[in-house]
Amino acid sequence: MPEATTATPTARPAAHPDAPVPGQHLGEHHAFCFACGHSVDGLRLDVVAADDLTLTCAFEITDAHQGAPGLVHGGIVAAAFDEMMGALQSFFREPAVTASLTTQYRKPIPVGATLHMRARVDSREGRKLWTSVEGRLDTPDGPVAADGTALFVFVPGEHFEAGRRKEVAAARPVREVGP
């Protein structure tokens, strides 16, 4: 991958004046979202704004999230991390999409555990937003079970309408991220 897409600038951006405030629940960005929507088979993440361009979420691992018997499927963790880091766009009130995502698995995450996730904005340069996330077992200061990084790219709202105007209109965001 070219250096320009992987290098992380050091400047942390300022939040939009209408950004979520600490303690504010972001809610679902639309009802059919696998990660934060109210879909029967989804993750139903309840993401909460924290201080300094960060978000938190406690994710209970259930039988439905298994890969190997008794352990979470790695793809579920990656999906939760993608949602957490993607939700950071709410601090800028602009839509963004995942350009790259990495997840490192540090410890087995058993069914019945709670994965306490904290995502943060690391930096922004133009349309690029670099983020990171950490997942800890059972308490916010428990052992690190997984962590990750992602690069998001801010896009115009029309990006989501390509060939699917009716579906997009039906799933209009509950959580507005645009200006």
Side-chain angles (χ1 to χ4, degrees):
M1 192 175 281
E3 183 65 26
T5 60
T6 59
T8 305
T10 57
R12 292 205 59 228
H16 187 279
D18 296 329
V21 296
Q24 181 177 345
H25 293 254
L26 300 189
E28 62 187 15
H29 65 273
H30 72 87
F32 303 110
C33 176
F34 173 76
C36 70
H38 292 147
S39 166
V40 174
D41 296 326
L43 303 181
R44 299 182 181 204
L45 299 179
D46 181 18
V47 179
V48 180
D51 292 324
D52 195 27
L53 299 176
T54 62
L55 299 171
T56 63
C57 179
F59 174 39
E60 184 179 332
I61 307 301
T62 70
D63 287 335
H65 303 131
Q66 289 185 85
L71 298 175
V72 73
H73 188 287
I76 294 293
V77 175
F81 279 6
D82 186 45
E83 180 68 15
M84 286 294 295
M85 291 185 284
L88 290 164
Q89 66 186 287
S90 64
F91 287 114
F92 306 102
R93 309 290 292 163
E94 299 176 65
V97 295
T98 311
S100 68
L101 171 72
T102 61
T103 303
Q104 295 83 37
Y105 303 92
R106 309 291 182 188
K107 293 188 178 302
I109 303 171
V111 168
T114 300
L115 189 63
H116 290 266
M117 299 178 288
R118 178 178 280 290
R120 75 180 291 252
V121 170
D122 294 322
S123 62
R124 179 177 181 175
E125 184 178 280
R127 293 179 51 218
K128 296 178 181 178
L129 182 69
W130 284 268
T131 63
S132 56
V133 65
E134 191 173 71
R136 294 178 173 267
L137 284 175
D138 295 322
T139 65
D141 60 351
V144 175
D147 54 43
T149 58
L151 169 63
F152 288 84
V153 177
F154 290 100
V155 295
E158 295 79 28
H159 171 90
F160 301 99
E161 296 180 6
R164 306 179 355 235
R165 292 189 191 277
K166 287 182 183 177
E167 291 90 342
V168 171
R172 273 290 167 225
V174 174
R175 175 176 70 206
E176 281 294 326
V177 293

